[in-house]
Amino acid sequence: MRKPKLLMTPGPTPLPPEVITAMSQQIIHHRTKEFAEIFSRVNENLKKVFQTKNNVLTFAASGTGAMEASAVNFFSEGDTVLVVSVGVFGDRFINICKTFGLNVIEKKYPHGEAANIDEIIDILENDKSNIKGVFITHNETSTGVTNPIEKLARYLKDKDKILIVDAVSSLGAIDLKTDEWGVDVVVTGSQKALMSPPGLAFVSVSDKAWEFYKTSKLRKFYWDFKKYQDNLLKESQDTPFTPAVTLIRAVDVGLKLLLDYGLENNFKRHTRLAKLTQLAVDKLNLELLPKKEYSSAVITAIKAPEGIDIEKVRKIMNQKYDIMVAGGQANLKGKIIRIGHMGYVDEFDLLKTIQCFELSLLECGYKNFEVGEPTKAILQEIAKEVV
Amino acid sequence: MRKPKLLMTPGPTPLPPEVITAMSQQIIHHRTKEFAEIFSRVNENLKKVFQTKNNVLTFAASGTGAMEASAVNFFSEGDTVLVVSVGVFGDRFINICKTFGLNVIEKKYPHGEAANIDEIIDILENDKSNIKGVFITHNETSTGVTNPIEKLARYLKDKDKILIVDAVSSLGAIDLKTDEWGVDVVVTGSQKALMSPPGLAFVSVSDKAWEFYKTSKLRKFYWDFKKYQDNLLKESQDTPFTPAVTLIRAVDVGLKLLLDYGLENNFKRHTRLAKLTQLAVDKLNLELLPKKEYSSAVITAIKAPEGIDIEKVRKIMNQKYDIMVAGGQANLKGKIIRIGHMGYVDEFDLLKTIQCFELSLLECGYKNFEVGEPTKAILQEIAKEVV
């Protein structure tokens, strides 16, 4: 009598029934007019979600593949890059860049803090090592922090450096005006705000970044952006290598649902889900890991209460109530719990999650709250809109 | 960004994913070993749910079809029957019996009341008109009342009269010990506690009822119970007419899920859902239509608050929150709202329903409660089990 697992994680996120149905079809061949029609629509809709006039390249890969691709397409061994890290995914950019022989200047912030953009601009202003690119995470899921990247993008716009943004967990849910702000390379994945299964990665590339591509000497075959770009410039758009046809069918529907709902509406919706979660955290007498001003719209990182086995809380939520939330990664393991509210997740999914969080905390011995009050606070907030 | 409709109605009830998957298959022929295997398993499992050693007959029909069948198989024109009615579905038995020329003694109770079994036994004791059968509704969904039929069944066990029970909305969710209590004919449908789509009806027939069958002169072809019984006695069980193959696949899975969960557990689960609903009704300062002692375990009928357009409340729940509950039928239209908690519905579905009920009542101007308190009361009740 169990219900399907509800994924309140930082991805994969739940699939709308229309997306599931789109995948319940016989495979079609990818060198056909039928596929080209779907793929062209996907490409047009991706531009809207990326808020760019440039082509968006589609890879059969997870987000990390596209992160790697965004390093190997623009630089050469020994090039200096600045990598800003506020958590696990910032650190991943550092690892990738080092792996390919780039000279990495690391700018790390303590877990739970956002990047200080003024400080980063200061580093760039005083740079003597010819930094050619800046890598930054838009939304760091490991700490529940969103970096304020607009100012950095605008600063870099007329510089001879490119800005590469990991927007895997943010794009479509948190505003990112690629062209207007001047973000050169934006990377995202299918399994977050696009409400599709994992397996596709997407990258937008600015004109400035294409200039960098021309001089890049790092070796690439599968990740070679030009191959993908050329196939998008053909009359019948396709991919250089076999695409993940079923996933492209899925994201076609996911994108349509998202755009029908409206990008702006979706940004507001996620911000609201975050505010409601924060309200519950207050009523639970728990603390956010980040400051509220940087706390993410798509994932809320909450400090484990003193003396409570938060991994056990998570296990109960999963095994008894069939709700998956995330724990802490790396040095935050056992210290935080992270509730995702990303993609096809609504207020009532959140209410259910908070209810199960309450019951699971209680079962693990945390009693510093009144059962039902966190839920009630959310419902009263929602009620403000109906009266 | 809408969620699938949640049916908190007195049926159809939500389908478990396993049931949906079972139907997503190519059709198989019904005169095959493959079908016989499925159908035999369904028949064995139906006996367990009916709590009977007798065969259970399966019809491609809705519940009403089997109600009609249970009249035409046992009686002849002019036979006297006693029909007990506490609502719309009791009245339906009256209509059916009259349609086929039976002499109907009607024993009606006001809407919201349960049948008084002592009173009925009294009628039978003082009967001068040779009552051959008694029809009664086990669970009357129109008023949210469950009739205490056990005493009536035990009384009739050694009498030359048969008891026919409409258990369409109760079987599998509310205890009904067919053989032990001595219920001769039990009728149910696929779309309630069996967690399957509508379209199948099931009837169990006692040895005593088969004796009545022999003398029955009412005309029947499709409903002729003997035809179905004969096909169940064959080595390779099937149906006399083309069965609804896909629905039988579905109910095969629904029955398996129900029996894996356990009948007793399922009775307890439904009783608990009803208690939690009643708790919310209290906190909403609303009233049940029936007395608590007769209030159904599968559906809760709630009186509309004075001056509130309860049909509008229902419409908001449906259109804004995608939760379907039922309104009043016949003379109760506009006077009550009915929340089903039947089949594949859990505490968190109920919590969501109550939350949306709160919000919708508020939007319609009902303010005689504190938003979030009904939900909180339910959650606190659930919390008692975890600490």
Side-chain angles (χ1 to χ4, degrees):
Chain A
M1 217 60 68
R2 298 181 77 151
K3 295 279 164 170
K5 202 70 87 180
L6 175 61
L7 266 60
M8 300 292 283
T9 65
T13 57
L15 301 177
E18 296 90 333
V19 171
I20 298 173
T21 305
M23 292 190 291
S24 307
Q25 295 184 52
Q26 189 52 274
I27 206 75
I28 57 169
H29 199 277
H30 54 289
R31 307 291 181 210
T32 56
K33 209 179 139 189
E34 195 181 354
F35 178 75
E37 197 180 295
I38 296 169
F39 193 51
S40 309
R41 185 169 53 232
V42 165
N43 293 328
E44 281 314 301
N45 284 338
L46 280 170
K47 287 183 191 180
K48 291 177 192 160
V49 176
F50 273 75
Q51 304 188 57
T52 180
K53 62 167 186 40
N54 298 310
N55 279 329
V56 177
L57 317 178
T58 293
F59 300 84
S62 59
T64 302
M67 286 168 77
E68 171 172 329
S70 70
V72 300
N73 272 279
F74 304 114
F75 306 106
S76 306
E77 216 175 307
D79 278 355
T80 300
V81 294
L82 171 64
V83 184
V84 182
S85 173
V86 301
V88 168
F89 291 93
D91 290 351
R92 184 163 299 179
F93 259 150
I94 293 173
N95 287 338
I96 287 170
C97 290
K98 284 182 171 173
T99 298
F100 291 94
L102 303 186
N103 177 37
V104 179
I105 299 172
E106 302 175 19
K107 180 60 192 165
K108 288 192 172 204
Y109 289 90
H111 289 170
E113 283 189 21
N116 180 331
I117 301 300
D118 290 333
E119 206 170 44
I120 293 163
I121 291 175
D122 212 46
I123 294 170
L124 293 166
E125 283 288 304
N126 297 300
D127 170 42
K128 303 275 186 279
S129 55
N130 188 24
I131 293 172
K132 293 185 72 177
V134 180
F135 291 80
I136 192 168
T137 320
H138 187 205
N139 184 74
E140 176 62 58
T141 54
S142 71
T143 60
V145 164
T146 302
N147 282 319
I149 61 165
E150 178 180 354
K151 193 173 178 182
L152 179 59
R154 289 190 187 274
Y155 166 79
L156 286 167
K157 219 168 178 177
D158 63 354
K159 308 287 181 296
D160 191 27
K161 307 174 195 305
I162 56 170
L163 177 63
I164 294 150
V165 171
D166 164 5
V168 171
S169 61
S170 61
L171 200 87
I174 303 174
D175 198 10
L176 197 174
K177 298 191 197 303
T178 302
D179 287 0
E180 189 183 322
W181 297 353
V183 184
D184 298 294
V185 180
V186 174
V187 174
T188 199
S190 46
Q191 77 277 26
K192 314 274 181 172
L194 305 190
M195 304 181 285
S196 300
L200 294 180
F202 309 100
V203 185
S204 72
V205 183
S206 73
D207 291 340
K208 185 165 56 161
W210 280 117
E211 290 304 314
F212 277 64
Y213 171 88
K214 288 180 191 163
T215 60
S216 163
K217 292 196 184 65
L218 286 174
R219 293 171 196 213
K220 52 229 167 223
F221 189 86
Y222 187 76
W223 300 129
D224 188 343
F225 283 177
K226 180 118 194 324
K227 291 192 178 86
Y228 292 81
Q229 172 79 337
D230 287 348
N231 282 48
L232 290 183
L233 298 174
K234 296 195 314 186
E235 190 164 344
S236 183
Q237 295 188 339
D238 60 8
T239 50
F241 315 119
T242 310
V245 173
T246 306
L247 298 182
I248 286 171
R249 267 191 195 277
V251 87
D252 179 30
V253 176
L255 284 165
K256 195 180 173 312
L257 288 172
L258 172 54
L259 291 169
D260 282 353
Y261 185 77
L263 264 190
E264 280 297 329
N265 287 339
N266 212 39
F267 301 151
K268 279 185 204 146
R269 195 172 70 82
H270 282 90
T271 301
R272 180 174 160 78
L273 287 171
K275 296 278 175 229
L276 294 175
T277 310
Q278 290 167 16
L279 199 57
V281 172
D282 280 348
K283 293 288 175 183
L284 283 162
N285 296 308
L286 294 177
E287 277 177 57
L288 296 178
L289 176 67
K291 280 193 195 139
K292 241 175 214 178
E293 55 182 308
Y294 296 128
S295 191
S296 167
V298 294
I299 184 159
T300 301
I302 305 161
K303 288 184 191 166
E306 197 78 34
I308 300 298
D309 181 353
I310 200 72
E311 283 302 298
K312 193 178 159 201
V313 172
R314 207 158 71 81
K315 196 172 158 188
I316 293 171
M317 289 181 78
N318 187 13
Q319 296 184 350
K320 187 166 174 181
Y321 301 111
D322 287 311
I323 294 190
M324 278 197 76
V325 297
Q329 293 174 296
N331 69 329
L332 288 172
K333 196 165 171 65
K335 293 184 183 159
I336 59 167
I337 191 163
R338 296 176 297 146
I339 297 176
H341 27 81
M342 195 185 282
Y344 188 62
V345 157
D346 70 6
E347 296 161 349
F348 297 98
D349 294 322
L350 181 66
L351 276 160
K352 179 176 179 180
T353 305
I354 297 300
Q355 285 152 9
C356 297
F357 189 33
E358 292 186 42
L359 295 170
S360 306
L361 279 166
L362 201 66
E363 189 168 337
C364 290
Y366 179 70
K367 288 171 184 165
N368 189 24
F369 71 105
E370 192 183 346
V371 177
E373 277 297 321
T375 307
K376 181 175 160 183
I378 293 178
L379 202 61
Q380 290 200 336
E381 192 59 32
I382 297 172
K384 285 181 189 166
E385 289 191 357
V386 304
V387 282
Chain B
M1 217 60 70
R2 298 181 78 150
K3 296 278 165 171
K5 201 71 85 179
L6 175 61
L7 265 59
M8 301 292 282
T9 65
T13 57
L15 302 176
E18 296 90 333
V19 171
I20 298 173
T21 305
M23 291 190 291
S24 307
Q25 295 184 50
Q26 189 50 273
I27 205 76
I28 57 169
H29 199 277
H30 54 289
R31 307 291 181 209
T32 57
K33 209 178 139 189
E34 195 181 354
F35 179 74
E37 198 181 293
I38 297 169
F39 193 50
S40 308
R41 185 168 56 232
V42 165
N43 293 328
E44 281 315 300
N45 285 337
L46 280 170
K47 287 183 191 180
K48 292 177 192 159
V49 176
F50 273 75
Q51 304 189 58
T52 181
K53 61 165 185 41
N54 299 309
N55 279 329
V56 177
L57 317 178
T58 292
F59 299 85
S62 59
T64 302
M67 286 168 75
E68 172 172 328
S70 70
V72 300
N73 272 278
F74 304 114
F75 306 106
S76 305
E77 216 175 306
D79 278 355
T80 299
V81 294
L82 171 63
V83 184
V84 181
S85 174
V86 302
V88 168
F89 290 95
D91 290 351
R92 184 164 298 180
F93 258 151
I94 292 173
N95 286 337
I96 288 171
C97 290
K98 284 184 173 174
T99 298
F100 290 95
L102 303 186
N103 176 36
V104 179
I105 299 173
E106 303 177 19
K107 180 61 193 163
K108 289 192 172 204
Y109 289 90
H111 290 170
E113 284 189 19
N116 180 333
I117 301 300
D118 291 332
E119 205 169 44
I120 293 164
I121 291 176
D122 211 47
I123 293 171
L124 293 166
E125 282 288 304
N126 297 300
D127 170 40
K128 304 277 184 277
S129 54
N130 188 25
I131 292 171
K132 294 185 72 176
V134 180
F135 291 81
I136 192 168
T137 319
H138 188 206
N139 184 73
E140 174 62 59
T141 52
S142 71
T143 60
V145 164
T146 302
N147 282 318
I149 61 165
E150 178 180 354
K151 193 173 178 183
L152 178 61
R154 291 191 187 275
Y155 166 78
L156 286 168
K157 219 169 178 176
D158 62 353
K159 307 289 181 296
D160 191 26
K161 305 173 197 304
I162 56 171
L163 177 62
I164 294 150
V165 171
D166 163 5
V168 172
S169 61
S170 61
L171 200 89
I174 302 174
D175 198 9
L176 197 174
K177 300 192 195 302
T178 302
D179 288 359
E180 188 183 323
W181 298 352
V183 184
D184 298 294
V185 180
V186 174
V187 174
T188 199
S190 46
Q191 77 277 25
K192 315 274 181 169
L194 305 189
M195 305 180 287
S196 301
L200 295 179
F202 309 101
V203 185
S204 73
V205 183
S206 72
D207 292 340
K208 184 166 57 160
W210 280 117
E211 290 303 313
F212 277 63
Y213 170 87
K214 289 179 190 164
T215 59
S216 162
K217 292 194 184 68
L218 285 174
R219 295 173 192 209
K220 51 230 169 222
F221 189 87
Y222 187 77
W223 301 129
D224 188 345
F225 283 178
K226 180 115 194 322
K227 292 192 178 86
Y228 292 81
Q229 172 79 337
D230 287 347
N231 282 48
L232 291 183
L233 299 175
K234 295 195 316 186
E235 190 163 348
S236 183
Q237 296 188 336
D238 60 7
T239 49
F241 315 117
T242 309
V245 174
T246 306
L247 298 182
I248 286 172
R249 269 191 194 279
V251 87
D252 180 30
V253 177
L255 285 165
K256 195 180 174 312
L257 288 172
L258 172 54
L259 291 168
D260 283 353
Y261 186 78
L263 263 190
E264 279 298 329
N265 287 338
N266 212 39
F267 301 151
K268 279 185 204 145
R269 195 172 70 81
H270 282 90
T271 301
R272 179 172 160 77
L273 287 171
K275 296 277 175 230
L276 294 176
T277 310
Q278 290 166 16
L279 201 57
V281 172
D282 281 348
K283 293 288 175 184
L284 282 162
N285 297 307
L286 294 178
E287 278 177 55
L288 297 178
L289 176 67
K291 281 193 196 140
K292 241 174 211 174
E293 55 181 308
Y294 296 128
S295 191
S296 166
V298 294
I299 184 159
T300 301
I302 305 160
K303 288 184 193 167
E306 196 77 34
I308 300 298
D309 181 353
I310 200 74
E311 283 302 298
K312 193 179 158 197
V313 172
R314 207 159 71 83
K315 196 171 158 189
I316 293 170
M317 289 180 77
N318 187 12
Q319 296 186 348
K320 187 166 174 180
Y321 301 112
D322 287 311
I323 294 189
M324 275 196 78
V325 296
Q329 292 174 297
N331 69 328
L332 288 171
K333 195 165 174 62
K335 293 182 183 161
I336 59 168
I337 190 163
R338 295 177 298 146
I339 298 176
H341 27 81
M342 194 185 282
Y344 188 62
V345 158
D346 71 6
E347 296 160 348
F348 297 97
D349 294 322
L350 182 66
L351 276 160
K352 180 177 177 180
T353 305
I354 297 300
Q355 285 152 9
C356 297
F357 189 33
E358 292 186 42
L359 295 171
S360 305
L361 278 167
L362 200 67
E363 190 168 335
C364 291
Y366 179 70
K367 288 172 184 165
N368 188 26
F369 71 106
E370 192 183 345
V371 177
E373 279 297 321
T375 306
K376 181 176 160 184
I378 293 178
L379 202 62
Q380 290 200 338
E381 192 60 31
I382 297 172
K384 285 181 189 165
E385 289 191 356
V386 305
V387 281

